[in-house]
C-alpha cells in the first residue's frame, strides 16, 4: 500500500505543479466543492505573441437546477482579463450547458499556465464552488523567427529598481527660476516689439488631425529606419501617437506607462479606437525602445501605417452644415 501511495503521489504532483491554484477569497474558500458532469476548456489561438489578445473558452455541462457564475480573483499573475461573456443554457434542456468566454492577454514569454478559474455554483443545497484547472499556452515574441540569427536580443521587462543618487534639487530649482525670469524678460520685449506692428496677426492653432498628419508625414520623409535609426524612429512615432491620444481624449498620455495608457482608454471606451492594433503597437514600441530589440524596415512601415489608421478611425468628421431657416411670407388672410 505504501508503494502504491508513493507512485500515485509521483504521478499527480507534476500535474499539480503545472496548474497553480488560484488565491480564493475567504468566503469562497469556505464553500464545499462540486464538480460539473462535464468540463471542457480551450484556448484560441494556442500560440500568441506578447500582448496579443486570445480567447479562453470554458464549457460546463451540469444539472439544470445549478447555476455557474465566475468569481475571478484580483491577481491573475502574468495574465489580464480584457472582457468576459456568459452564454446561459437553453431553457428546458437537461443537462444544461453554460459557456464562458474570457478575452485575455499575456505579458510574459514562454510556455505559460493559465491560473485556475473559480466559479460560484448555486445549488438546491446551497452555494458551492468549482475551480476549473488551468491550461497552458505559448507566448512568443513580436519579433520575426530569424531575429535571433540576425543578432537581435530580447530581454524581459525588469521591475523598477531604486537607485541612490545625489540630490541637486535646490540648485536646479534656482537655475530653473533664473531661466524662467530670463525667458519672461525676452518674451516681454518681443511682445512689446511686435505688438504695434501693422498687419501683425497671430496665427491660429491648426486642428489636431492636421498637426498629427503633418508630423507623420515629416517622420516618413526622414526615412530613419533606412539610416539604421530604428530606436529614434519608434521614440518619435510613439510621441506622435501618444500626444494625439492625450489631446484627443483629454489626459496626459505622454506621462502614462503602457499599461496605464491602455487602462485609461478602456475606461473611456472611445468609438472606433482599434484597441488590438494599439496594444500591438505599444508592445512593439516598448520592446524596441527599452528591451533593445531590433525591427525590420517592413515592421517600421507597418507601425507608421498604424499611426495614419488610428487618426482616420478616431478623428470625428466635421459636423454637417446647419440648414438655413425657411422664411414664411405673409399672404392674404383666407376666411
Amino acid at each position: 500500500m505504501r508503494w502504491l501511495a508513493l507512485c500515485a503521489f509521483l504521478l499527480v504532483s507534476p500535474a499539480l505543479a503545472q496548474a497553480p491554484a488560484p488565491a480564493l477569497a475567504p468566503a469562497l474558500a469556505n464553500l464545499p466543492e462540486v464538480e460539473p458532469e462535464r468540463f471542457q476548456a480551450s484556448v484560441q489561438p494556442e500560440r500568441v505573441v506578447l500582448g496579443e489578445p486570445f480567447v479562453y473558452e470554458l464549457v460546463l455541462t451540469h444539472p439544470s437546477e445549478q447555476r455557474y457564475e465566475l468569481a475571478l480573483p484580483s491577481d491573475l499573475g502574468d495574465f489580464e482579463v480584457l472582457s468576459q461573456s456568459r452564454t446561459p443554457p437553453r431553457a428546458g434542456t437537461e443537462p444544461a450547458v453554460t459557456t464562458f468566454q474570457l478575452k485575455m492577454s499575456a505579458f510574459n514569454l514562454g510556455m505559460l499556465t493559465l491560473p485556475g478559474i473559480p466559479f460560484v455554483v448555486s445549488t438546491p443545497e446551497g452555494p458551492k464552488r468549482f475551480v476549473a484547472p488551468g491550461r497552458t499556452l505559448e507566448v512568443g515574441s513580436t519579433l520575426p523567427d530569424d531575429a535571433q540569427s540576425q543578432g537581435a536580443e530580447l530581454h524581459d521587462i525588469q521591475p523598477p529598481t531604486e537607485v541612490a543618487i545625489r540630490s541637486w534639487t535646490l540648485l536646479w530649482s534656482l537655475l530653473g527660476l533664473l531661466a524662467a525670469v530670463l525667458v519672461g524678460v525676452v518674451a516681454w520685449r518681443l511682445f512689446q516689439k511686435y505688438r504695434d506692428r501693422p498687419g501683425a496677426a497671430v496665427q491660429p492653432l491648426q486642428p489636431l488631425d492636421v498637426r498629427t498628419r503633418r508630423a507623420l508625414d515629416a517622420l516618413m520623409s526622414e526615412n530613419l529606419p533606412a539610416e539604421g535609426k530604428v530606436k529614434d524612429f519608434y521614440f518619435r512615432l510613439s510621441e506622435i501617437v501618444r500626444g494625439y491620444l492625450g489631446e484627443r481624449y483629454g489626459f496626459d498620455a505622454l506621462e502614462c506607462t503602457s499599461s496605464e495608457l491602455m487602462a485609461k482608454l478602456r475606461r473611456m471606451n472611445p468609438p472606433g479606437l482599434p484597441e488590438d492594433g494599439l496594444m500591438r503597437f505599444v508592445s512593439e514600441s516598448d520592446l524596441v525602445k527599452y528591451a533593445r530589440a531590433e525591427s525590420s524596415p517592413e515592421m517600421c512601415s507597418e507601425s507608421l501605417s498604424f499611426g495614419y489608421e488610428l487618426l482616420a478611425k478616431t478623428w470625428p468628421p466635421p459636423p454637417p452644415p446647419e440648414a438655413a431657416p425657411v422664411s414664411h411670407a405673409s399672404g392674404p388672410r383666407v376666411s
Side-chain angles (χ1 to χ4, degrees):
M1 293 298 292
R2 292 183 178 180
W3 286 104
L4 292 176
L6 179 60
C7 292
F9 174 77
L10 293 176
L11 291 174
V12 174
S13 58
L16 294 177
Q18 294 178 358
L24 299 178
L28 188 61
N30 295 330
L31 297 178
E33 296 183 358
V34 66
E35 294 285 339
E37 297 181 2
R38 186 180 180 186
F39 170 72
Q40 293 177 311
S42 62
V43 178
Q44 295 295 333
E46 295 183 354
R47 186 185 187 280
V48 297
V49 298
L50 190 70
E52 180 183 12
F54 63 90
V55 176
Y56 185 23
E57 184 177 73
L58 304 99
V59 182
L60 302 104
T61 304
H62 55 88
S64 58
E65 64 268 13
Q66 295 180 354
R67 177 181 175 88
Y68 281 72
E69 295 290 347
L70 277 173
L72 290 174
S74 58
D75 184 11
L76 293 178
D78 295 326
F79 298 91
E80 178 185 7
V81 175
L82 305 178
S83 62
Q84 56 178 292
S85 63
R86 176 181 183 273
T87 303
R90 295 182 179 179
T93 57
E94 184 66 37
V97 178
T98 304
T99 303
F100 294 88
Q101 284 190 342
L102 302 178
K103 186 177 180 182
M104 309 177 69
S105 59
F107 296 95
N108 206 345
L109 300 176
M111 295 298 298
L112 303 182
T113 301
L114 287 161
I117 304 298
F119 294 86
V120 176
V121 187
S122 300
T123 67
E125 296 82 16
K128 298 184 180 181
R129 65 181 170 92
F130 167 66
V131 180
R135 295 291 302 271
T136 59
L137 77 159
E138 182 180 358
V139 181
S141 168
T142 56
L143 299 177
D145 296 336
D146 59 347
Q148 188 173 5
S149 63
Q150 296 181 1
E153 185 178 3
L154 182 64
H155 299 273
D156 288 338
I157 299 175
Q158 299 296 323
T161 304
E162 293 186 1
V163 179
I165 59 174
R166 181 178 298 175
S167 177
W168 298 89
T169 305
L170 180 59
L171 178 60
W172 286 113
S173 299
L174 294 176
L175 291 177
L177 181 60
L178 178 60
V181 172
L182 292 177
V183 170
V185 172
V186 173
W188 175 251
R189 289 182 177 180
L190 290 176
F191 172 75
Q192 288 183 330
K193 180 178 180 180
Y194 292 100
R195 179 180 56 182
D196 299 329
R197 287 184 57 188
V202 178
Q203 294 293 332
L205 184 65
Q206 294 180 336
L208 174 60
D209 62 326
V210 175
R211 287 182 278 121
T212 304
R213 187 172 289 105
R214 286 189 175 181
L216 294 172
D217 294 341
L219 181 60
M220 179 190 297
S221 64
E222 294 181 22
N223 199 12
L224 295 178
E227 300 177 3
K229 300 178 180 179
V230 176
K231 188 174 182 179
D232 295 340
F233 169 83
Y234 273 98
F235 266 108
R236 290 271 302 279
L237 182 57
S238 179
E239 288 181 357
I240 294 173
V241 171
R242 285 173 174 263
Y244 167 77
L245 291 173
E247 189 172 348
R248 173 69 178 85
Y249 299 112
F251 68 99
D252 193 356
L254 292 173
E255 296 298 327
C256 291
T257 63
S258 298
S259 58
E260 291 173 348
L261 175 69
M262 296 305 302
K264 285 181 179 292
L265 291 174
R266 290 192 189 106
R267 287 195 296 268
M268 296 178 183
N269 193 21
L273 179 70
E275 181 177 332
D276 293 345
L278 181 59
M279 172 69 76
R280 190 177 299 108
F281 167 76
V282 170
S283 175
E284 292 175 359
S285 300
D286 289 346
L287 289 174
V288 174
K289 293 188 297 183
Y290 305 118
R292 295 182 294 180
E294 296 294 335
S295 180
S296 64
E298 291 77 15
M299 294 178 64
C300 294
S301 178
E302 292 178 1
S303 298
L304 185 62
S305 298
F306 172 75
Y308 287 101
E309 177 189 354
L310 176 67
L311 180 62
K313 290 185 176 180
T314 56
W315 184 255
E322 297 183 359
V326 180
S327 60
H328 298 277
S330 60
R333 183 176 180 182
V334 180
S335 58

